[in-house]
Amino acid sequence: MAIKELTVFMLCFWIAYAGHEFFSSTDQIAQLYGKTKELLKVFSQCNDAENVETIKSVLPNLLFSYSDSENPEEAMRNPVAAYRLLRQMRNDLIYIVNQPNLYQLLEIPQLEDLDGAASGLIRLQEIYKLHPEDITKETSLNADEAYNVGLVAYDEEKFQHAFLWFLYSLDRLTEYSTTTEEELLHYLSSSVYHFGSLSVAIYFSQELLNLDPSNDEARAQLNRLLHLQSNPDIFTLNTESSNYETLCRGEVDERTSKRQRALSCRYSTGEGNPRLMYAPVKEEVEWDEPQIIRYHDIISDREIEFLKNISRPQLSRSEIYVSGNNKLSKLRVSQSVFLGESPEEARVSQKIADATGLSMESAETLLVQNYGIGGAFEQHIDALETVNDRIATCLIYMNDVEIGGATVFPKFGVAVQPKKGSAVFWYNLLRNGEVNWNTEHAGCPVLVGNKWVANKWIHEIGQEFRRPCSLSDWE
Ligand SMILES: *[C@@H]1O[C@H](CO)[C@@H](O)[C@H](O)[C@H]1NC(C)=O
């Protein structure tokens, strides 16, 4: 009894600290969601005299708002819901730690997380051509939330998206909103001005002046606008897309899909590999030149769960490799970890060795990766252009993705959909050792769902007799 009381007593002291990043991994947000819910339950048992009032008045609401989803991973499949939760957790946790005498070690999402998450939503809108109304079909945002997404778009100079979010926010203003109509009109007229749709800009400047005739800035702005001429339509999303964006949306060229349909599937025993005699690998050719092969059912659900379990506590923001250095970049929004050597890692490696016929002698250990809100990995090649380079890549999909999240190859127009338990494989280098630039690829942002993958980068050393080189210039 005494011990139980002591535990409750101790848990009632909360200390907030800035932990790691959340927005770049939906799994990390899900973990925090679980923890917040647990802590709120504990908090509800605290009966420290000073806090009784707070607890009585606030807690039922707080707990209630965390009760709608029993499975936090499920709650993260919708990026807008994930953004809302992140905001809500930040507000609630800050509120709680500001109460006297309540502290426990607690990680709170930072403002950078909210901005990063909003930026992820905007990336989704750009690639999948979505208006705020489209992306919020399942989960709507309130005026304040939408205003913040608009501000992030505005900072990124994406004035059309900013404008549409401010408009969305204006539509949802209520007496409880902290955002004001004036702020919104100001930003509406300013973003539409930067975008260049003058007639609309004039309209909003006029509205702002009507609201506050003493606003000199608005009057000056209106005068400037009346003397300019230009009129792109701010309500219609730009229809120009890069090859990468088109592929992410699943718009595959008819010639490409015809060529894909002609490709084949087969069971392979690795030319007599004893480990494959009774359990052959199911190979599917996803593309012929350069060859991209998918191995189905290469890893079991249990192995996937195990890999996730050991990776979770070690995940950190992924970096990109630029001229010899690793750095953080908006081009890659995910968290990842290179697993240490372990029997399980070795088992997965062995399966890849069996399927591909390559040696894992100089391969890197598995890199397990979870993507964030709107998280993508923009176009890149895996080869590092060093000695003992990454000759090949094997990319294991650890879950199905509902919408989005394809691996796309813009140079030859192919999109490969994630499929749980399968892996895709391609050579980054030609037989003559040169980089095959056609293998440039990208990971599309996830529109609905979560995305976990594991990468195996296989290097040149050890493959001398397995993939003989060639002196040809083009092979
Ligand atoms: C993964 O972790 C969960 C929760 O801790 C546990 O229930 C499950 O058995 C673990 N799975 C594996 C395969 O290690």
Side-chain angles (χ1 to χ4, degrees):
M1 186 62 190
I3 288 179
K4 185 166 175 261
E5 268 167 18
L6 185 65
T7 319
V8 171
F9 172 78
M10 285 176 47
L11 287 173
C12 292
F13 290 79
W14 299 29
I15 293 175
Y17 68 97
H20 60 279
E21 203 173 85
F22 288 100
F23 79 95
S24 53
S25 159
T26 52
D27 191 73
Q28 297 291 305
I29 308 175
Q31 299 299 316
L32 180 71
Y33 179 89
K35 268 191 239 164
T36 305
K37 204 164 142 179
E38 276 309 302
L39 285 173
L40 284 171
K41 271 192 203 142
V42 173
F43 187 33
S44 67
Q45 291 159 18
C46 297
N47 47 10
D48 184 318
E50 270 194 76
N51 295 298
V52 170
E53 281 316 304
T54 321
I55 293 163
K56 272 197 195 142
S57 61
V58 181
L59 212 77
N61 283 335
L62 280 189
L63 259 177
F64 180 75
S65 60
Y66 289 88
S67 64
D68 45 296
S69 176
E70 276 310 306
N71 176 1
E73 262 189 85
E74 179 60 24
M76 293 311 133
R77 59 181 274 287
N78 172 350
V80 177
Y83 168 71
R84 285 200 71 177
L85 265 175
L86 204 52
R87 269 183 69 104
Q88 188 189 341
M89 288 192 287
R90 176 175 159 82
N91 289 343
D92 293 348
L93 293 174
I94 287 179
Y95 175 81
I96 289 170
V97 294
N98 281 337
Q99 300 306 312
N101 297 339
L102 286 174
Y103 35 92
Q104 179 185 332
L105 227 48
L106 187 70
E107 272 185 292
I108 295 188
Q110 302 299 294
L111 282 175
E112 290 76 21
D113 279 301
L114 305 187
D115 289 355
S119 179
L121 296 182
I122 299 157
R123 189 172 316 110
L124 287 168
Q125 290 183 275
E126 286 183 309
I127 291 188
Y128 299 104
K129 309 284 176 207
L130 302 169
H131 277 87
E133 286 74 13
D134 302 325
I135 199 170
T136 57
K137 217 167 251 167
E138 262 187 61
T139 307
S140 58
L141 295 184
N142 67 30
D144 296 330
E145 292 160 341
Y147 176 61
N148 275 98
V149 181
L151 286 180
V152 171
Y154 190 88
D155 276 346
E156 294 182 356
E157 302 190 358
K158 295 173 177 168
F159 296 114
Q160 183 176 31
H161 288 290
F163 172 83
L164 295 171
W165 276 111
F166 293 135
L167 203 57
Y168 180 100
S169 174
L170 188 66
D171 252 5
R172 286 159 181 78
L173 268 189
T174 68
E175 56 190 301
Y176 304 107
S177 308
T178 23
T179 311
T180 65
E181 188 177 354
E182 233 158 329
E183 280 170 320
L184 283 171
L185 287 174
H186 166 76
Y187 275 108
L188 277 163
S189 109
S190 181
S191 41
V192 75
Y193 166 72
H194 285 292
F195 186 74
S197 302
L198 296 180
S199 50
V200 185
I202 290 167
Y203 172 81
F204 283 107
S205 296
Q206 191 65 62
E207 286 289 294
L208 189 53
L209 261 185
N210 293 348
L211 197 69
D212 174 16
S214 70
N215 189 332
D216 290 336
E217 202 197 320
R219 193 173 301 279
Q221 169 84 336
L222 186 59
N223 277 331
R224 263 199 311 278
L225 290 172
L226 289 170
H227 291 95
L228 292 170
Q229 288 177 346
S230 156
N231 215 3
D233 180 5
I234 196 159
F235 297 100
T236 309
L237 294 179
N238 180 3
T239 49
E240 278 170 38
S241 301
S242 66
N243 224 354
Y244 155 58
E245 295 175 343
T246 317
L247 285 170
C248 285
R249 292 198 300 273
E251 295 164 17
V252 173
D253 183 77
E254 178 54 28
R255 283 210 318 274
T256 306
S257 52
K258 207 165 157 194
R259 185 160 149 189
Q260 265 177 316
R261 284 196 298 273
L263 301 172
S264 63
C265 269
R266 63 170 192 149
Y267 282 97
S268 164
T269 53
E271 291 168 14
N273 179 337
R275 267 186 301 271
L276 302 183
M277 289 304 277
Y278 299 103
V281 192
K282 189 169 183 239
E283 284 184 11
E284 181 177 0
V285 182
E286 290 272 356
W287 195 242
D288 50 0
E289 189 55 51
Q291 200 164 62
I292 301 175
I293 296 178
R294 191 196 295 259
Y295 301 111
H296 289 274
D297 306 316
I298 196 166
I299 177 172
S300 70
D301 288 1
R302 216 190 115 70
E303 284 168 315
I304 288 174
E305 195 185 315
F306 184 83
L307 291 182
K308 282 189 190 173
N309 277 4
I310 54 173
S311 308
R312 237 171 220 134
Q314 308 178 63
L315 289 173
S316 67
R317 178 71 184 270
S318 310
E319 297 178 330
I320 60 167
Y321 183 81
V322 185
S323 46
N325 294 306
N326 286 325
K327 55 181 200 177
L328 291 186
S329 162
K330 277 196 166 178
L331 300 180
R332 188 177 187 190
V333 181
S334 70
Q335 292 193 17
S336 54
V337 57
F338 275 108
L339 295 182
E341 285 177 24
S342 68
E344 287 73 19
E345 204 281 336
R347 235 165 66 144
V348 177
S349 270
Q350 186 60 55
K351 289 185 177 198
I352 297 172
D354 290 342
T356 62
L358 292 178
S359 158
M360 296 296 127
E361 181 186 331
S362 62
E364 294 165 61
T365 56
L366 278 176
L367 176 82
V368 176
Q369 207 175 165
N370 176 243
Y371 283 84
I373 297 180
F377 190 177
E378 294 201 9
Q379 296 168 59
H380 65 282
I381 53 161
D382 287 351
L384 304 169
E385 300 179 81
T386 54
V387 286
N388 189 22
D389 206 344
R390 290 171 173 168
I391 191 171
T393 296
C394 188
L395 174 63
I396 302 174
Y397 296 113
M398 295 166 69
N399 62 345
D400 298 317
V401 178
E402 289 169 67
I403 307 178
T407 307
V408 300
F409 295 81
K411 290 273 164 70
F412 46 96
V414 164
V416 179
Q417 284 305 323
K419 179 169 174 276
K420 189 175 186 183
S422 76
V424 286
F425 171 86
W426 67 86
Y427 282 105
N428 298 306
L429 304 182
L430 298 164
R431 277 184 192 273
N432 65 13
E434 299 289 329
V435 173
N436 185 351
W437 294 96
N438 282 336
T439 61
E440 188 184 68
H441 57 283
C444 301
V446 176
L447 187 53
V448 183
N450 303 305
K451 185 179 174 188
W452 282 90
V453 293
N455 272 83
K456 188 78 178 174
W457 282 303
I458 305 164
H459 286 247
E460 290 176 281
I461 291 178
Q463 322 306 345
E464 296 81 1
F465 301 106
R466 296 167 194 261
R467 192 197 192 213
C469 6
S470 156
L471 295 177
S472 148
D473 279 346
W474 46 271
E475 244 191 331

